[in-house]
């Protein structure tokens, strides 16, 4: 049971907080390791997408639409992040959080913008392990910046809708964009929780056929996964609840109704997760009780066999004794009488145990 | 143990929130698959029921009484829902929630109306599984709209009372109607929890006769059912508590007293449920302890039998040895002495174990 | 384990809330099935008790003292209740609650009066089951009405004190009367919890002598009883806490100090109950561990016996073989040598297991 | 497992609340059964101690210093208590609480004075049982009254300090005196919790040597003791927290800082207690797992012995058969071949099980 | 399982609170047992470090920079502490807390300064036990005093940064210094929790190879360690939350944002800890289930062996009987027939059990 979150990164060990260090080994690359920055600049009438090749190019860009959505992938380069942070006036701690690949879900108010951190899960192709990606949102007046390690297609649907101009998204402001992004994150959970439920059901159906500890390992892994989901969903719920309550001026009343809906979906996700967890717990009980049942059956068989054979063995032992004077030995049908007697005894015992339902 | 809520519908996956999608496979039909819309238009003096054949017919209707109760069954047609939503000014998210067949119980304030979602349970005819239906209430000024997938007779009693004019219902406004509908939902829970309690008792009475894991499966199913009830009742309680506290101007003071009573009934339901859950937990303990007891008995029998027969078998083995010089073999009554000795030994051992209460 | 609260009465199933239905089978009668209504009309100077034969008689009565205490027993007649309700202006829901024999303890403020519902327990004579009675108080300005199914002598002490004029009760108003009634209810709990504790101790003392599941059944019954006490005491505590906090103008400052004392007694009761519950839990652990211990002992005995006898049996088997050339068989003291060897072997094994403390 | 708090005293059963009844059997005596009343009258300059022989003497006393500390031991005489209550204007319920030997820790505000009840524990000399004493404080303006059943030396240190004039106590007012008394009570807990921890450690060190249920009994007693400590400490913590928050004008700002320190010590005590509780829980797990381990070992031995001896016994049985034509019986070295074969078989099996680590 | 926090120091047993007593046996020395006092006096421009040889020297020092950080190690001498306390106006209780080596983490507001107590853990070199050090901070206007028992290099990184002038620390005030110190403490937790996680993983990997109770002991120690971490982290979280909420004027808005980040890191630490705790719980389940599995396997083997050999032994016993008339004994191939029959029987039984997957 290798601990999936074993290596705790020491964020600022011996370093001042707010100093940005590259995170190596996160494998967060978009093609050639160069961070990929994409801008969607849109309003009710138009939507334009620009992909920046260099930082200078980005700084030179003049926004045209009502809302700007800056999508940044791959963050090994603290330099790039620093430039973006300076451009939008982000606090050093926000940048440090973004570089830190193990941020817990949260919503923080920095006055002129909100910082939202979330986590999306997926089952890895080969190992079947549960992996995750961090997603960060900076929600400001008229703009939203999203940060991801890799392009995982999370916001593809929203991008398509913005391009095609279908739906409300292009009519509304940056707060509705932020909501739509959060909604996309929540939708992603529905998918991965379905996959989780399927795994639970599969484990359940092979539960009683197995004898080894493999099942137990599987149960514990499922339990562990459910705890990881839980640990991501509970702070997400709290963050959405906080956003819904109206403490932040960044969300308008209309968007807040939508956020309440997103909050409701998280509650739903959590309940669905709890339901799966109950099932996993039930599996553990069932497995242990089944082991105990099996032991019972084996012991019953052993006891019955012993009780039937021991008297018979004693009888044949008796007539194997070498006493000079043993009258039965000389009877004409002694041997057959004994055989018949043994048959009767074993039949009676067998019948008795059959009646007692021990066989 | 097939998971009853396994398939999580992805409400807006890749779609914009608020876009209505037909839910197929919900089997929600009233006769010929056409949604059934029924209007009860009443006041202290009169009560008139109209069933709309077409949407146009409905839109043309002029209300005459003080209160309108629009009862809508079968919701595969997002079109119909959209027309109703436009007519009463419902928020797109409300409509999406109504289409979504797995909404959790809640009470939401949309300013000019309240949206109330609940769930009623029933045991399915054939499988004995616990199924449920969603019920939605939109409570506005002078009107209440109820949405159900199927006609399940939930509000039949109230309809009869409105027609006959007995009781208070016709004297009061839309808030009392809303209360009466909620009360009917809660009454339905009393029935299904009775059925649940009966199942618990039946399982309890067959608990110790059984040997296989079937009992355990049953116990786990009952536990699971109780969790499902719990998950429906707890948010229902919270919603009623919220309605009682007086945050919503939709309920008058008089209706609020009635709501407090409904709230009290939910508390009662929850306690009754907890009581059944305790019983189920006790059954599990009892079952496991019974398994352990049985193992104890079997082992005791095995041990006693072994202890009694092993010395006897040794003795007959001794006199089966072929030594040339074994004086006992030549005794006149050697054989009978040995038999008598064996009888004495086994009697003493038997007496000993009987005294120790091992037999 | 028959569920003591199995049959859930459906309070208003298909009926309008507030419609009064007779509860049959509650066996609530005072003599000849006629409700018994008794009025204590008292002030500092005097105390007069009247028993009403008819409703008309009651309605005609003119109060003379400062405080009226109307004590109503036996409530199968919704008619009588309705008259009382009209006379004192009680809400229909209060009347419905009083008719409902399974109200949970609560305190409700109806503006001009408070409604207090409580439950008192007793162990039934024959079955030893835990039964309960409902008690209701309506606390108004200058009067208190108590409703009980049967006369169980709960308020006898208070009645005597009012008649004799000892103590404070006659000096004070209706709020002190209400407190005194609540105090009598709490005192009753001290008695029944003592009886419960005695049962726990008795079960504990016979715990290890028993082998069957009867003990387990007893433990589960005690656990269940403790949960029922708990479910009655926790809302009682909350109701008293609510009354103490000063939200209700029905209680004066002086009476509130007394109520705080009653509240404190409930806390004490709850702690005493928790203490008994711990003991019951400990009994369950002890019982299961004892079963496991016993299995251990049996297996140890079986193992030791098997290990001692198997080699001996093998040895006698060896010398029972029929080989032509077996030199030992022809030795003069072969037989005795073998017997001695067997004695040595079994002694050594016995000593070994004795040293290892297996015997 | 005799329940240490089995007998629940019925405080006012059938009696009016506030009526004082002597508590017999509490063994609360100071020498000759006469209550002992001692007054410490002190100010910054002086400290005088008077012991009252009679109630009249006490009533005639004229206070001279700034602060009076009245220390009352032994309370079988409700009369004495009543006189004190009248003299200082104590509420009848306070007096009743003081007479009641099983008051839970609490802090109650009676306007002109505070009433503080606490409990101190000790391990009884002979039985090693956990006993306790009740201590009550009445904290007024310029005076503190302490009530104890017996002189247990709890406040001796403080008395010495007041006499000697060392430290702050004589400089400060009645609130600091009250704090010092509470501090002495908390200090007493440090001692008894140390004794408890020692018992836990002793039980832990003898855990695995024992086989019987005695260990389990000990574990349950320790668990029970820890629950009793907990039940005394949690309300004590709450009372101190309440006193610290500044709701009571009886404590000045300076004393409140000291009370916060006392509150902190209670938190510390509770954590230390929790730590011991964890250890007790761990012991239970360890004990049960050890039982299970032992069973495993026994079964392994039984299995190995059976597997080794059964084939050997079969072989010697084969050559004990009396067939006429059995060629091996006539071989010259048949006997030795068989013996050698048996040796080989048992060696191989032994080696196999040794490799599998079953031996 | 020696209790690591067994000896509870009695802070003021029989002594007045606030009286300082030397703590012996804490081994808190800096070189020659003399407390080591080091002052860092810095501002944006400069940073000067002075080490005081005597108290007089310290008292004579004139601060030059904006912020003073006084670092005190080794506190056996209440005298020194008293001088420092007088110099900075610290409350006697603060000094007592600092002397007390077992203070729980907390943040206390003393008006003109804040008192912060924390605990850092480390695994001891030889024993591998979890030890801890107490760290105290007094945060005033323009100065911070840190108290430690020993120099453990906790603040070395910060000292270096202050000397070198890198980063923000020298630009900011005493509140940022306080934050940086707290951050260093939290960073230290990341390291020790990593070590803890490694231990958990190592125990997990050797879980199933072991048979003895050693594993269980290890599991319980890990559980105990995790509880100790938890007990230190939860109050630390609360203290930081309190500092973040803005109740204390000692922290500016900017520092508060940094403190919120530190708070967030504690949340992260707690989650990481919970994750390890889950793993430890899983290990316990796995270990117990593995024991049960092993028992099952052994019993299965025993049962199979018994069932196969018992009939064979009976058969050879039959033909070892000495009856005169036993026709089979005289058959030409009787012996071989019997041997063949035995082979067939054992093969069939073996095949049967192999099919049933018992072998």
């Amino acid at each position: 049971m290798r601990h999936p979150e074993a290596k705790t990164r020491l964020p600022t060990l011996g370093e001042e907080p707010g100093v940005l260090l590259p995170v190596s080994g996160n494998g967060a690359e978009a093609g050639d390791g160069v961070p990929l920055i994409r801008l969607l600049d849109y309003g009710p009438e138009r939507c334009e997408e620009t992909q920046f090749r260099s930082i200078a190019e980005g700084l030179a860009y003049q926004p045209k639409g009502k809302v700007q959505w800056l999508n940044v992938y791959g963050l090994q380069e603290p330099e790039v992040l620093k430039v973006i942070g300076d451009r939008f006036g982000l606090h050093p701690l926000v940048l440090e959080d973004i570089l830190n690949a193990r941020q817990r879900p949260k919503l923080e108010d920095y006055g002129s913008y909100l910082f939202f951190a979330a986590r999306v899960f997926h089952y890895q192709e080969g190992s079947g392990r549960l992996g995750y990606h961090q997603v960060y949102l900076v929600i400001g007046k008229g703009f939203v910046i999203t940060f991801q390690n890799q392009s995982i297609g999370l916001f593809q649907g929203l991008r398509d809708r913005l391009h095609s101009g279908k739906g409300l998204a292009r009519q509304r402001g940056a707060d509705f964009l932020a909501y739509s992004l959060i909604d996309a994150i929540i939708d992603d959970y529905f998918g991965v929780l379905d996959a989780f439920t399927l795994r639970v059901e599969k484990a359940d159906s092979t539960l009683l056929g197995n004898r080894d500890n493999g099942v137990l390992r599987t149960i514990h892994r499922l339990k562990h996964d459910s705890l990881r989901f839980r640990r991501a969903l509970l702070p997400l719920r709290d963050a959405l609840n906080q956003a819904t309550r109206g403490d932040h001026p960044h969300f308008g009343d209309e968007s807040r109704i939508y956020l309440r809906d997103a909050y409701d979906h998280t509650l739903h996700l959590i309940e669905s997760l709890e339901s799966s967890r109950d099932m996993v717990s039930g599996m553990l009980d069932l497995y242990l009780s089944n082991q105990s049942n099996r032991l019972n059956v084996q012991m019953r068989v052993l006891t019955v066999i012993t009780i039937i054979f021991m008297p018979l063995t004693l009888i044949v032992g008796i007539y194997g004794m070498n006493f000079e004077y043993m009258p039965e030995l000389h009877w004409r049908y002694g041997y057959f009488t004994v055989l018949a007697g043994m048959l009767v005894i074993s039949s009676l015992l067998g019948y008795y145990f059959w009646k007692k339902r021990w066989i």
Side-chain angles (χ1 to χ4, degrees), chain A residues 213-286:
Chain A
N213 275 318
V215 182
L216 210 70
R217 286 265 178 208
T218 307
I219 289 174
H220 277 294
R221 171 161 320 210
L222 290 170
K223 217 166 150 189
H224 194 76
D225 285 359
S226 80
L227 282 168
R228 290 178 69 197
F229 284 127
R230 197 179 146 82
R231 258 181 231 128
L233 280 170
L234 292 191
L236 180 61
R237 180 196 61 183
D238 295 344
L240 286 174
N241 189 21
Q242 186 188 340
T244 312
R245 277 198 317 259
D247 313 346
H248 306 291
H250 295 274
F251 288 106
D253 278 353
E254 178 65 20
S255 293
R256 206 159 274 145
I257 288 180
Y258 280 94
L259 277 177
R260 190 174 63 183
D261 190 61
Y263 170 66
D264 216 67
H265 284 180
T266 359
L267 292 185
H268 193 151
L269 283 168
I270 289 167
E271 288 198 351
S272 165
L273 180 62
E274 296 299 318
S275 189
S276 295
R277 281 183 62 187
D278 292 338
M279 207 170 153
V280 173
S281 295
M283 281 162 66
L284 188 57
D285 281 1
L286 203 54

Side-chain angles (χ1 to χ4, degrees), chain A residues 70-130:
Chain A
L70 195 71
N71 202 346
V72 184
Y73 299 105
L75 288 167
Q76 317 86 313
E77 299 279 320
E79 289 310 307
V80 180
L81 203 62
K82 210 165 161 1
V83 174
I84 296 171
D86 286 349
R87 173 68 185 75
F88 289 92
L90 305 185
H91 196 280
L93 286 174
V94 167
L95 303 180
E96 190 191 307
D97 278 355
I98 291 171
L99 271 185
N100 182 344
R102 293 197 40 219
Q103 209 52 43
R104 50 191 301 278
K106 64 178 173 182
L107 180 71
E108 282 180 343
D109 191 347
Y110 279 87
S112 60
Y113 57 90
L114 291 175
F115 176 59
F116 178 81
R119 189 175 280 186
V120 293
F121 288 93
H122 64 278
Y123 278 101
Q124 283 160 7
E125 285 292 310
S127 65
R129 296 262 170 167
L130 190 63

Side-chain angles (χ1 to χ4, degrees), chain A residues 198-220 222 278-291 294:
Chain A
L198 276 178
R199 279 163 185 256
V200 172
E201 283 173 7
K202 200 178 139 210
D204 186 60
S205 67
T206 61
L207 184 64
L208 297 187
N210 268 306
R211 277 228 167 68
D212 52 6
N213 275 318
V215 182
L216 210 70
R217 286 265 178 208
T218 307
I219 289 174
H220 277 294
L222 290 170
D278 292 338
M279 207 170 153
V280 173
S281 295
M283 281 162 66
L284 188 57
D285 281 1
L286 203 54
Y287 176 75
L288 292 175
S289 157
N290 194 43
Q291 276 191 331
R294 221 176 252 160

